[in-house]
């Protein structure tokens, strides 16, 4: 009897911790969200058919099984509001509920897009003044993810507090918090993705107002310059990321534009190191075996999805050469060496800065893109071509 009583007392004492523990592991973004988003390839042209096709190919290509489960419709799905203020889809999306059911039937999740302003960035209907109504609508369709893009709310802020940046920033936070509360009220878990391009150092407050991820830069494009600029600008931000709340350097351009295979690997490897959301942005109907291999490399994805959730930091920079490192849950380390230079650069026996990476000379190294063990990290010699990188897992 005594034992039983003690157990109950112990349970009650631990209850608050147990429940907060459950909450954090129940986050819809305990690891960085993975999926596909329509914007980088289809932009304004995306239709219901494109989204279904993306869902089909995520399954057929093995991407879903590698972790890409969100199918996210970006801007331009919105129609008009009716007399009761209920938002309808436009002619490109005949029935969002039916589409959601289709996506769910494939073992995938559906994401959608809106703005705290009266209009979205592409000039469609935003959620301003209809936040709860829209959140309820998304929940009724079965939406699992919302990207909320500042867009015209910048004008609303400027009109309300002309020239007063501090006041405007307060309004912005309140607008994002408002939609967070609206989502909570629906009772349906949705990943909440803040998109306001890093204004007001969003990484410092995004998690407090319920953001699971926050864009921290302007839009990416399918050029190595854009990828390198955004990737390198993440230095110093790792302390703000962790399970449930992530820095978002924008969606992947892997497979888009004229990126070489080295550039695609560098992009994917860097986003993996950065614990960035992995939202493919390419035309999945044009997937080549090489691009599929890059997007579905399990060992690279495992770095991104590591449960410790510690984003990489830059531990060395010299001219175009940078080394980034992150600790992993099993006590090993991931390290990436990048050559951002335009000229061919031959690195022979580059010092991997193992100490700063938290590893020792005698640690074993595995080259994740080559998929092979390369021996003791202390003796590792490498050469890197223009825009090439190497991604190593170091174990004791
Ligand atoms: C931009 C946003 C893009 C895309 C676009 C849609 O503001 O950064 O990722 O969502 O709006 O209009």
């Amino acid at each position: 009897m005594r034992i039983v009583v003690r157990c109950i007392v112990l349970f009650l004492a631990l209850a608050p911790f147990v429940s907060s523990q459950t909450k954090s592991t129940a986050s819809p973004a305990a690891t960085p969200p993975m999926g596909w988003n329509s914007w980088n390839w289809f932009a304004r042209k995306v239709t219901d058919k494109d989204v279904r096709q993306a869902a089909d190919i995520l399954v057929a290509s093995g991407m879903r099984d590698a972790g890409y489960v969100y199918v996210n419709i970006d801007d331009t799905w919105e129609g008009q509001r009716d007399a009761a203020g209920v938002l309808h889809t436009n002619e490109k999306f005949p029935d969002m509920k039916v589409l959601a059911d289709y996506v769910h039937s494939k073992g995938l999740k559906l994401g959608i897009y809106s703005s705290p302003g009266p209009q979205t960035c592409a000039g469609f209907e935003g959620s301003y003044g209809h936040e709860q109504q829209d959140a309820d609508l998304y929940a009724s369709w079965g939406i699992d993810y919302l990207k909320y893009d500042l867009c015209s709310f910048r004008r609303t802020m400027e009109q309300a507090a002309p020239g007063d940046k501090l006041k405007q920033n307060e309004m912005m936070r309140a607008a994002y918090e408002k939609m967070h509360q609206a989502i909570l009220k629906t009772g349906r878990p949705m990943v909440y993705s803040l998109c306001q391009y890093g204004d007001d150092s969003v990484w410092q407050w995004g998690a407090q107002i319920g953001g699971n991820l926050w864009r921290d830069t302007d839009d990416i494009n399918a050029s190595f310059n854009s990828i390198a600029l955004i990737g390198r600008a993440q230095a110093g931000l790792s302390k703000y990321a962790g399970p449930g709340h992530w820095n978002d350097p924008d969606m992947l351009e892997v497979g888009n534009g004229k990126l070489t295979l080295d550039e695609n690997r560098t992009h994917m490897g860097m986003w993996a190191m950065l614990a960035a959301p992995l939202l493919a942005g390419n035309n999945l109907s044009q997937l080549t075996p090489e691009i599929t291999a890059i997007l579905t490399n399990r060992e690279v994805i495992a770095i991104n999805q590591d449960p410790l959730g510690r984003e990489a930091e830059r531990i060395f920079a010299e001219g175009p050469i940078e080394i980034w490192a992150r600790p992993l849950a099993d006590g090993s380390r991931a390290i990436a060496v990048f050559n951002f230079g335009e000229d061919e650069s031959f690195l022979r026996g580059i010092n991997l800065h193992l100490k700063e990476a938290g590893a020792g000379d005698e640690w074993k190294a595995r080259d994740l893109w080559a998929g092979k063990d390369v021996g003791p990290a202390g003796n590792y010699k490498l050469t890197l071509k223009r825009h090439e990188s190497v991604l190593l897992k170091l174990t004791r």
Side-chain angles (χ1 to χ4, degrees):
M1 184 59 189
R2 248 218 193 130
I3 292 172
V4 175
V5 171
R6 279 220 188 114
C7 286
I8 291 169
V9 170
L10 186 67
F11 175 77
L12 289 176
L14 288 176
F17 301 103
V18 173
S19 81
S20 72
Q21 190 80 28
T22 327
K23 254 187 223 150
S24 73
T25 49
S27 163
T31 58
M34 292 177 67
W36 175 87
N37 173 295
S38 61
W39 187 256
N40 283 357
W41 174 263
F42 290 101
R44 304 173 65 110
K45 294 204 191 85
V46 66
T47 65
D48 175 286
K49 192 165 153 263
D50 299 324
V51 174
R52 282 168 193 259
Q53 191 183 34
D56 293 345
I57 301 172
L58 284 174
V59 177
S61 64
M63 284 178 69
R64 177 198 63 188
D65 294 344
Y68 295 85
V69 294
Y70 288 98
V71 180
N72 291 351
I73 305 168
D74 209 280
D75 204 353
T76 78
W77 62 269
E78 310 87 341
Q80 303 299 318
R81 292 190 189 278
D82 62 23
V86 177
L87 184 58
H88 294 267
T89 53
N90 62 36
E91 61 293 345
K92 296 193 294 148
F93 289 89
D95 191 328
M96 200 60 93
K97 173 81 175 86
V98 170
L99 177 57
D101 290 347
Y102 182 78
V103 169
H104 289 150
S105 77
K106 301 262 158 186
L108 297 162
K109 294 167 184 284
L110 188 66
I112 211 157
Y113 167 101
S114 189
S115 168
Q119 270 101 43
T120 67
C121 293
F124 288 72
E125 189 71 22
S127 292
Y128 185 68
H130 295 273
E131 293 80 3
Q132 192 62 56
Q133 205 168 20
D134 286 359
D136 291 342
L137 181 68
Y138 306 151
S140 76
W141 286 337
I143 296 293
D144 307 292
Y145 185 119
L146 173 67
K147 172 174 169 184
Y148 208 43
D149 194 352
L150 191 63
C151 307
S152 67
F153 196 73
R154 269 187 171 159
R155 263 198 315 278
T156 307
M157 286 156 34
E158 182 55 35
Q159 277 157 10
D164 186 345
K165 268 280 155 214
L166 287 178
K167 182 87 190 54
Q168 291 183 20
N169 285 343
E170 272 170 33
M171 284 180 69
M172 177 171 62
R173 290 188 202 199
Y176 277 94
E177 172 66 23
K178 190 169 196 180
M179 185 48 105
H180 172 230
Q181 292 304 329
I183 294 172
L184 286 181
K185 226 169 144 201
T186 69
R188 184 175 176 87
M190 290 182 214
V191 172
Y192 188 33
S193 158
L194 276 45
C195 178
Q196 41 78 289
Y197 341 111
D199 282 7
D200 191 26
S201 307
V202 62
W203 43 87
Q204 293 178 1
W205 52 268
Q208 285 156 33
I209 57 95
N212 295 118
L213 58 151
W214 45 83
R215 272 272 298 280
D216 55 31
T217 69
D218 266 330
D219 290 21
I220 197 167
N221 63 56
S223 71
F224 190 75
N225 266 352
S226 164
I227 291 162
L229 190 77
I230 290 180
R232 297 168 96 177
Q234 304 303 306
L237 298 187
S238 69
K239 56 179 172 292
Y240 300 105
H245 51 98
W246 309 101
N247 291 308
D248 175 11
D250 209 355
M251 303 167 294
L252 293 170
E253 292 283 11
V254 172
N256 280 343
K258 294 197 170 70
L259 298 173
T260 65
L261 285 180
D262 279 338
E263 291 171 339
N264 278 307
R265 273 187 215 104
T266 293
H267 179 20
M268 178 76 185
M270 188 156 206
W271 264 232
M273 289 295 284
L274 291 170
L278 296 180
L279 296 168
N282 54 327
N283 182 355
L284 295 179
S285 70
Q286 291 173 6
L287 265 182
T288 61
E290 291 84 1
I291 294 300
T292 310
I294 292 172
L295 286 169
T296 59
N297 183 309
R298 300 283 176 130
E299 292 184 86
V300 174
I301 291 173
I303 302 296
N304 176 264
Q305 295 289 301
D306 184 74
L308 190 62
R310 288 274 296 279
E311 177 178 333
E313 263 305 338
R314 184 161 60 195
I315 58 166
F316 172 82
E318 206 171 275
I321 306 304
E322 293 188 13
I323 304 180
W324 292 62
R326 61 180 282 184
L328 302 170
D330 64 2
S332 58
R333 300 280 190 267
I335 191 166
V337 186
F338 299 99
N339 179 2
F340 291 113
E342 290 307 316
D343 299 326
E344 298 285 313
S345 169
F346 298 95
L347 313 173
R348 295 199 187 277
I350 185 176
N351 176 358
L352 284 181
H353 294 261
L354 293 172
K355 207 158 154 238
E356 294 97 308
D361 279 353
E362 69 294 350
W363 283 38
K364 284 183 280 179
R366 181 169 170 81
D367 180 331
L368 301 187
W369 286 120
K372 58 173 199 239
D373 297 335
V374 288
N379 299 331
Y380 191 57
K381 307 236 189 306
L382 65 147
T383 63
L384 290 178
K385 301 195 298 286
R386 167 183 185 268
H387 300 176
E388 198 190 7
S389 55
V390 67
L391 187 50
L392 300 173
K393 184 169 174 183
L394 307 176
T395 41
R396 213 190 289 262

